[in-house]
Amino acid sequence: MEPFVVLLPLFGAMLAMPVGRAFGYRAAELLTTGLMLLAAIYSWVLFFDVALGGNARTITLFEWIGSGDFKADWAVRLDTLSAVMLVVVNSVSFLVHTYSMGYMKEYGEQSRFFAYLSLFTFAMLTLVTADNFLQLFFGWEGVGLASYLLIGFWFKKKSANDAAIKAFVVNRVGDFGFALGIMAVFYVFGSIEFDPVFEAIRNNAVVDPFGAVAAAPIQELRITFLGNDWHALTVIAVLLFIGAMGKSAQFLLHTWLPDAMEGPTPVSALIHAATMVTAGVFLVCRCSVMYEYAPNAAALVTVVGAVTAFFAATVGLLQDDIKKVVAYSTCSQLGYMFFAAGVGAYGAAMFHLFTHAFFKALLFLGSGAVIIAMHHEQDIKKMGGVKDILPLTHILMVIGTIAITGVGIPTVYLFGAPLGTAGFVSKDLVIEGAYAAAEGGRAFAMFAFVMGLLAAVMTAFYSWRLIFLTFWGKSRAPEEVRKHPHGVPDTMMAPLLPLALGALIAGMVFYGDFVGKNKEEFWNGSLYFSDAHHGEEKTADDHAAADDHGTSAHADDAHAEEADHGGGHHDIPKWVFWSPFIAMVFGTSAAALHYLRGDPLRPGLLRPGGMIYAFLKNKWYFDEIYDYIIVKPALRIGRFLWIDGDGKTIDAVGPDGIAATVAANAKRIVKLQSGYLYHYAFAMLIGIAVFVTFILVRAGG
């Protein structure tokens, strides 16, 4: 039965269009959504069985590839890490399918859309249940294909086609590194299956790569790459992370993500909350044992994640498209997840991935409801007063906002878990974990801590800016929109309710299992915890004892997280636990002071025309830079090879040249065919004379 949790969306993808043609689009919608409901329910059943019950297992379906020593099975790996991802992917996908039944009603081509959604889900499920790197790569490329189809769903729209191509091409850059990483894994270990590879790293097994001078323990092995000797695990881990950078839109390979908003809003929710962009975080956490013994690669993950969290937050400050604000928020939150993994807090990284799925899907789908009601307007500066039109959506979006900004009380615990929204519990944990790792000697962990705090300030600012400009104040929409807002179907509103509930309580409910006292039993070996690292998280015992006045028992000598490779406990000052909360309050207050007093559109600290304003408004000019140093030179080279190389050289000398020569000679010969009888008689006479002369010469010789 277990394989059906993966196969049900595939059945939906295969049947959607035939059923739609035969019985109408509504049948296709109901079929695919019904199959997703079954998959989502079964995902939760497996979660309780595998993650909470400890019944991890792998079901091998068939041998996929066998060639000499190379072997790859097609399997369904069910451990806690994959069980968590199954819940996230299938639950959000079901809600997105349901939401799409209302959202796509006016756009048409529903059968094709729902087929693509289900295909997207199947590819992601294949990725997270893979038992080897090659099957993971199959799902990895599958989500890339599905994202191309969905982002460019409105293929008659040039901007959608351009965005789809951009997403596909940028991801190919990362995927090239990922493919090299898989090749390096097989070269070093002679296998691409997870268990043998991870076990060899964990036990420091002796490996003998093909062509190596001598065998060596894997943790010390060096290989030649790009003409130099490198630490083998570092090379592999960096190459794999390059793939993760592309798929999860990290700094330098992030440019495709905002443009992906050209697809329908449900696509944005599915990509950003549950599927494609979370694949990179999943990959790093799946390979946690590898990064533990490749500290330089882990440092790279930390730096890239921290820079991404900060960069995306700065760009989000000035975005006016409601979907792009949330898109850059996703990019920033992914940065948090990566630097958590980089400092060894894999449980915190996965916990934030889990909670993020709730509030990010809520924000995207809520934004879709606003777009529909406002007659497809997406500029928040042209909105205002929407809470009077969509009061329930307003409440739900505020819930998503307090979740992403991290509203909670750092020093109060309820049933052993921090009291606060999902984002508060997980994001604060990530930031505090970075400080603890810095105390333990982790490279760049303090840099990640500082960047995380700055990003938290900006996250609060741009998130509340979206709420204030969209829902509060006087309406700035055209009169016809104000008087006749578009109705939002119930099928669009219903999925927002469970997402809002998760955004509020998921952090508190699952804290103990993901990162609390039960974490090692919960993860059951699917994440690697070194002997020196038994807790990237604050536990209730360490931090939650309240005194008679309800204040925290946090003290400067409170035991904090043990940092990787640092050994022992490290004291974390009380201000560290309060710092994310203070950052959130500061950002929220700044947004309120500007957008709730007077004209909300008046110039602020960053004024139009200024250098910093232009820098942020143009997204650090990455698109322009890439266009100048990559796109335009590539187009010039391509044009040269096309016109001068292919056209003027190959074609001119080759087929076109031969054809032209034949045609020219034919024209000359044709001139001999005048049509006059005496011309032909003269030619015959000359021919006879030449022939007779030839005979006489031969005879005389």
Side-chain angles (χ1 to χ4, degrees):
M1 287 294 292
E2 289 89 342
F4 280 99
V5 77
V6 177
L7 295 175
L8 286 172
L10 176 62
F11 297 156
M14 295 170 62
L15 296 173
M17 295 183 71
V19 168
R21 290 192 188 99
F23 304 103
Y25 73 86
R26 180 61 68 182
E29 292 178 345
L30 293 174
L31 172 68
T32 53
T33 306
L35 291 173
M36 279 311 314
L37 173 60
L38 294 176
I41 293 172
Y42 197 29
S43 296
W44 281 99
V45 172
L46 289 174
F47 177 79
F48 283 100
D49 180 40
V50 173
L52 301 181
N55 297 318
R57 55 196 181 275
T58 299
I59 298 94
T60 301
L61 301 181
F62 53 86
E63 183 179 289
W64 183 24
I65 298 174
S67 177
D69 294 333
F70 183 83
K71 180 176 178 291
D73 291 331
W74 193 279
V76 177
R77 183 185 182 95
L78 294 173
D79 58 9
T80 302
L81 190 59
S82 58
V84 168
M85 294 302 296
L86 285 174
V87 165
V88 170
V89 174
N90 279 333
S91 299
V92 173
S93 183
F94 162 66
L95 295 174
V96 168
H97 273 71
T98 304
Y99 180 92
S100 300
M101 293 172 68
Y103 188 91
M104 297 299 294
K105 186 164 56 175
E106 295 184 357
Y107 291 108
E109 298 192 75
Q110 290 93 328
S111 299
R112 179 167 65 92
F113 181 77
F114 278 79
Y116 290 171
L117 279 185
S118 293
L119 178 64
F120 200 171
T121 306
F122 164 72
M124 188 66 186
L125 295 174
T126 301
L127 189 159
V128 301
T129 57
D131 192 43
N132 58 72
F133 283 100
L134 191 61
Q135 184 183 338
L136 189 150
F137 189 69
F138 177 89
W140 193 271
E141 294 302 309
V143 294
L145 168 64
S147 69
Y148 171 80
L149 296 173
L150 285 166
I151 295 169
F153 180 77
W154 290 314
F155 56 86
K156 295 181 181 178
K157 184 179 177 184
K158 184 180 184 302
S159 58
N161 287 327
D162 292 344
I165 293 171
K166 187 176 183 179
F168 199 78
V169 171
V170 173
N171 271 274
R172 296 291 71 71
V173 176
D175 293 352
F176 179 71
F178 188 28
L180 289 178
I182 296 174
M183 296 173 196
V185 168
F186 183 71
Y187 166 72
V188 170
F189 295 94
S191 173
I192 56 169
E193 296 181 14
F194 292 150
D195 288 337
V197 170
F198 298 156
E199 195 65 26
I201 298 172
R202 189 178 290 108
N203 297 327
N204 198 21
V206 175
V207 295
D208 187 13
F210 177 78
V213 176
I218 181 59
Q219 294 176 19
E220 289 81 40
L221 178 71
R222 301 183 72 82
I223 60 174
T224 301
F225 181 70
L226 299 178
N228 293 296
D229 285 339
W230 305 87
H231 182 228
L233 287 180
T234 300
V235 171
I236 296 171
V238 168
L239 289 172
L240 295 178
F241 178 60
I242 290 172
M245 286 176 64
K247 200 65 70 183
S248 295
Q250 291 300 282
F251 189 69
L252 300 179
L253 295 181
H254 65 277
T255 53
W256 67 269
L257 192 65
D259 289 7
M261 298 303 99
E262 287 291 340
T265 298
V267 174
S268 305
L270 193 58
I271 290 177
H272 287 245
T275 54
M276 187 167 171
V277 297
T278 61
V281 180
F282 170 82
L283 173 65
V284 172
C285 290
R286 174 62 82 194
C287 299
S288 54
V289 64
M290 187 181 294
Y291 286 92
E292 283 299 296
Y293 293 100
N296 290 333
L300 176 65
V301 175
T302 304
V303 170
V304 171
V307 171
T308 303
F310 175 80
F311 153 75
T314 63
V315 177
L317 294 173
L318 297 177
Q319 293 299 306
D320 297 327
D321 186 312
I322 188 170
K323 288 171 65 177
K324 287 192 176 182
V325 175
V326 187
Y328 276 106
S329 167
T330 298
C331 195
S332 182
Q333 297 302 308
L334 288 166
Y336 278 103
M337 299 174 207
F338 273 109
F339 80 65
V343 301
Y346 305 105
M350 287 303 301
F351 191 33
H352 195 48
L353 184 155
F354 180 77
T355 61
H356 175 263
F358 290 100
F359 55 75
K360 188 50 56 70
L362 175 61
L363 290 170
F364 263 116
L365 298 184
S367 298
V370 172
I371 292 169
I372 290 293
M374 299 300 290
H375 293 237
H376 309 288
E377 178 60 67
Q378 296 185 200
D379 189 342
I380 58 177
K381 289 186 174 180
K382 298 179 181 178
M383 296 183 186
V386 177
K387 67 182 177 64
D388 298 326
I389 300 172
L390 300 173
L392 178 59
T393 302
H394 168 240
I395 294 172
L396 296 174
M397 288 285 283
V398 168
I399 290 174
T401 300
I402 64 174
I404 194 173
T405 56
V407 174
I409 306 176
T411 59
V412 176
Y413 280 66
L414 182 65
F415 302 113
L419 179 62
T421 59
F424 162 77
V425 177
S426 60
K427 187 173 73 174
D428 285 23
L429 193 65
V430 167
I431 295 173
E432 294 155 13
Y435 185 91
E439 291 288 290
R442 275 275 187 169
F444 298 104
M446 185 55 71
F447 172 73
F449 173 74
V450 174
M451 291 293 101
L453 285 179
L454 293 175
V457 174
M458 292 182 284
T459 299
F461 183 89
Y462 68 65
S463 297
W464 284 108
R465 172 179 178 266
L466 185 151
I467 295 295
F468 296 151
L469 286 179
T470 303
F471 292 97
W472 294 27
K474 295 181 179 180
S475 176
R476 297 176 296 277
E479 185 177 353
E480 62 271 16
V481 175
R482 294 199 304 269
K483 291 185 176 180
H484 304 287
H486 198 290
V488 179
D490 292 339
T491 50
M492 287 179 60
M493 297 306 301
L496 303 185
L497 300 177
L499 291 172
L501 181 64
L504 287 174
I505 68 171
M508 294 183 288
V509 170
F510 293 100
Y511 171 82
D513 292 317
F514 275 79
V515 291
K517 293 181 179 179
N518 305 326
K519 72 181 180 70
E520 293 207 30
E521 294 80 8
F522 176 78
W523 292 110
N524 193 23
S526 60
L527 293 181
Y528 182 71
F529 298 100
S530 67
D531 292 336
H533 184 75
H534 287 291
E536 65 269 340
E537 56 287 309
K538 53 187 180 183
T539 66
D541 288 344
D542 289 336
H543 309 305
D547 61 20
D548 293 339
H549 302 287
T551 60
S552 171
H554 287 316
D556 289 348
D557 61 349
H559 288 305
E561 301 83 340
E562 290 178 275
D564 273 341
H565 312 304
H569 289 283
H570 298 274
D571 296 335
I572 293 186
K574 186 175 179 179
W575 65 266
V576 173
F577 299 102
W578 278 96
S579 56
F581 177 83
I582 294 171
M584 178 272 297
V585 171
F586 184 80
T588 302
S589 301
L593 285 173
H594 181 79
Y595 294 104
L596 296 183
R597 296 193 312 165
D599 180 11
L601 300 184
R602 70 184 186 279
L605 185 62
L606 300 177
R607 295 174 177 271
M611 184 182 299
I612 297 178
Y613 181 93
F615 182 69
L616 298 182
K617 192 72 173 176
N618 288 283
K619 302 162 288 189
W620 290 29
Y621 292 103
F622 268 104
D623 284 326
E624 289 78 5
I625 293 171
Y626 286 170
D627 191 55
Y628 181 76
I629 66 174
I630 297 175
V631 177
K632 287 183 177 177
L635 288 175
R636 283 195 293 268
I637 293 171
R639 194 171 187 85
F640 170 77
L641 294 175
W642 165 41
I643 296 176
D644 294 311
D646 188 46
K648 294 182 179 179
T649 304
I650 297 175
D651 285 348
V653 174
D656 289 350
I658 294 172
T661 302
V662 171
N665 291 332
K667 287 181 179 179
R668 294 189 186 98
I669 294 172
V670 163
K671 292 180 179 179
L672 298 176
Q673 307 296 321
S674 65
Y676 293 109
L677 182 61
Y678 59 86
H679 285 170
Y680 297 132
F682 178 74
M684 292 171 65
L685 180 62
I686 294 299
I688 291 171
V690 171
F691 179 72
V692 170
T693 302
F694 175 75
I695 295 298
L696 292 175
V697 170
R698 290 293 302 270

